[in-house]
Amino acid sequence: HYCSGVRLSKKRRTFNHIAAHHNRLWGTVPSGNTIYASASDDIFSFSSSDIISKYAARIESDKSGVFTGICEYGSYLLAFKESSITVIYGDNAANYGTEIINGIGCIAPKSVTVTPRGVIFLSYKGFYIYNGNAPSCISTRLKTKYKHAVGGFDGNIYYVCAQKQNGEHELLTYDTRYGLWHRQDGIKVTDMFTFLGEFYLVSGNKIYRTEADTPSGSRAQDDADGVKWKIVSAKTYDNTLDNKSVNELWIRAYVEKGAYFIVCTRIDDGEWQCHESFSRPGINVFRSSVRTHMGSSYQYKIEGCGNVVFYEIEVQKANGGRTIKDFSGTTRGTVTKPAEDIEYSVTDNNEFDFDY
């Protein structure tokens, strides 16, 4: 403002991370342990000596290191450091309090994303989720260590472009409904946003619109157009199956009208032998007679087209005149969600590789 040639100005604070919470603007300073909250009636005012509900406040953290991110989660505000999380509760400057979670924190501020399951973020140990309880790791099956990440959420899917220790980037998706990770491709994404119900990725001077299973159902249209997919099991060795034979695959699955899948097997890295094709619509138990005698290793492959949801896969084997179940797992998803002891990856041509 100017008055009689004299300029009067209000000093602005510099923050490295900001978030809106309880009608205030919150910010962390680039260095130090202070978190500032603006006055509720002036988001540019961060100083006040009065502890009244509408006035500004500040909170000190006694943990070392700089803040690496901040976000609102329900009635809480989360302030991250690399090895700790400060949980701020209360609704005005007179009753703000903090709780410190030690041992885990965030190393990539743009990875912090709020989802219905909780807040997902990248730590030194992998991707974690916080939902009010102790943070838990959700990326163990990726078996990769990342040093930076940019994330976003389309309503169902958590998208994240993660940078490996060697500098390479890969685009990952995490279905928050089923807890299922997919590896997409090596695109380097610098930002993500939602516009008019569609989710977009920013890469260099290009913007990509995703075709995921969003609430608007764009993937359902893709499946109707006939997307082809493939599942390949890891090798099962003869000592697991007692040198006997595999009799049948029992598959409980939902098949959308017009979709189908084919069951194939192979021994000792030989040629794939296709057994049966299934296309009966609805939820059914499909039994494929494979009658495969064991060599040193065994694999099965299921490939198909369209929307198929696998709920359970059982390998039936013969063992000294007995037929017993070798493994099973509950699955859900557009193609499949593995059982707890299955590792998987997805290639650029929609191939799924599972490790048992």
Side-chain angles (χ1 to χ4, degrees):
H1 305 283
Y2 290 88
C3 178
S4 301
V6 178
R7 181 178 180 179
L8 304 176
S9 63
K10 180 185 292 187
K11 182 180 179 180
R12 306 298 189 201
R13 294 197 178 274
T14 299
F15 300 123
N16 55 349
H17 307 290
I18 60 173
H21 178 61
H22 283 162
N23 203 35
R24 300 173 187 266
L25 188 65
W26 296 71
T28 60
V29 294
S31 61
N33 292 327
T34 305
I35 306 170
Y36 289 91
S38 73
S40 60
D41 58 349
D42 183 359
I43 63 171
F44 295 111
S45 175
F46 290 91
S47 60
S48 174
S49 59
D50 299 316
I51 303 300
I52 304 175
S53 60
K54 72 174 183 178
Y55 286 134
R58 70 180 186 180
I59 296 173
E60 299 290 337
S61 171
D62 59 358
K63 304 302 295 183
S64 61
V66 299
F67 288 104
T68 57
I70 189 171
C71 77
E72 181 185 53
Y73 179 60
S75 60
Y76 302 109
L77 187 76
L78 308 181
F80 296 88
K81 291 189 175 184
E82 290 187 350
S83 60
S84 67
I85 305 174
T86 300
V87 182
I88 302 171
Y89 55 87
D91 56 9
N92 63 66
N95 65 6
Y96 286 134
T98 63
E99 176 185 349
I100 306 295
I101 299 174
N102 293 308
I104 200 70
C106 174
I107 62 173
K110 283 193 172 184
S111 70
V112 178
T113 304
V114 179
T115 76
R117 287 192 60 191
V119 179
I120 300 176
F121 57 93
L122 177 64
S123 76
Y124 278 125
K125 301 177 182 179
F127 287 97
Y128 273 69
I129 190 166
Y130 172 80
N131 56 15
N133 300 313
S136 59
C137 184
I138 60 174
S139 63
T140 303
R141 300 190 187 281
L142 294 177
K143 296 182 178 179
T144 305
K145 189 173 183 179
Y146 302 101
K147 63 180 181 180
H148 183 68
V150 176
F153 186 62
D154 74 353
N156 288 323
I157 310 296
Y158 173 67
Y159 283 80
V160 60
C161 178
Q163 186 179 22
K164 302 178 184 179
Q165 295 296 315
N166 63 7
E168 294 180 355
H169 291 81
E170 62 178 359
L171 182 63
L172 307 169
T173 57
Y174 178 73
D175 194 320
T176 59
R177 299 163 299 179
Y178 311 122
L180 180 63
W181 283 98
H182 284 170
R183 278 189 169 96
Q184 302 296 336
D185 52 35
I187 184 175
K188 180 180 178 180
V189 176
T190 56
D191 213 340
M192 307 181 187
F193 64 93
T194 300
F195 179 69
L196 297 178
E198 297 287 348
F199 192 71
Y200 296 88
L201 311 177
V202 179
S203 177
N205 60 356
K206 297 180 180 179
I207 297 178
Y208 298 90
R209 186 181 67 181
T210 65
E211 297 293 340
D213 188 10
T214 61
S216 59
S218 55
R219 180 178 289 172
Q221 180 62 45
D222 284 348
D223 289 335
D225 293 339
V227 173
K228 294 183 178 180
W229 48 265
K230 181 193 303 182
I231 300 170
V232 180
S233 76
K235 295 178 182 178
T236 300
Y237 292 92
D238 59 354
N239 61 340
T240 305
L241 296 177
D242 300 324
N243 292 301
K244 299 300 182 179
S245 63
V246 174
N247 287 338
E248 291 182 315
L249 286 182
W250 291 4
I251 303 168
R252 189 166 71 91
Y254 165 79
V255 178
E256 192 173 84
K257 186 177 180 180
Y260 67 88
F261 65 91
I262 302 170
V263 177
C264 307
T265 59
R266 72 176 177 181
I267 301 296
D268 297 338
D269 296 320
E271 295 294 326
W272 287 103
Q273 179 183 357
C274 294
H275 300 280
E276 295 181 70
S277 175
F278 300 97
S279 59
R280 186 166 69 245
I283 298 178
N284 298 281
V285 176
F286 302 95
R287 298 187 179 186
S288 177
S289 178
V290 295
R291 301 294 178 183
T292 300
H293 291 280
M294 289 304 299
S296 62
S297 66
Y298 159 83
Q299 284 180 286
Y300 73 81
K301 175 176 68 173
I302 303 175
E303 57 185 357
C305 182
N307 188 20
V308 179
V309 182
F310 293 99
Y311 295 99
E312 189 173 20
I313 301 174
E314 297 180 5
V315 173
Q316 301 292 321
K317 68 178 183 179
N319 182 9
R322 296 181 293 119
T323 299
I324 62 176
K325 180 170 65 177
D326 184 51
F327 67 85
S328 66
T330 301
T331 65
R332 295 188 297 271
T334 302
V335 176
T336 182
K337 177 191 173 186
E340 289 302 317
D341 56 350
I342 300 175
E343 298 293 341
Y344 67 93
S345 64
V346 181
T347 62
D348 292 343
N349 57 351
N350 294 323
E351 292 185 358
F352 291 66
D353 298 316
F354 289 75
D355 295 324
Y356 296 89

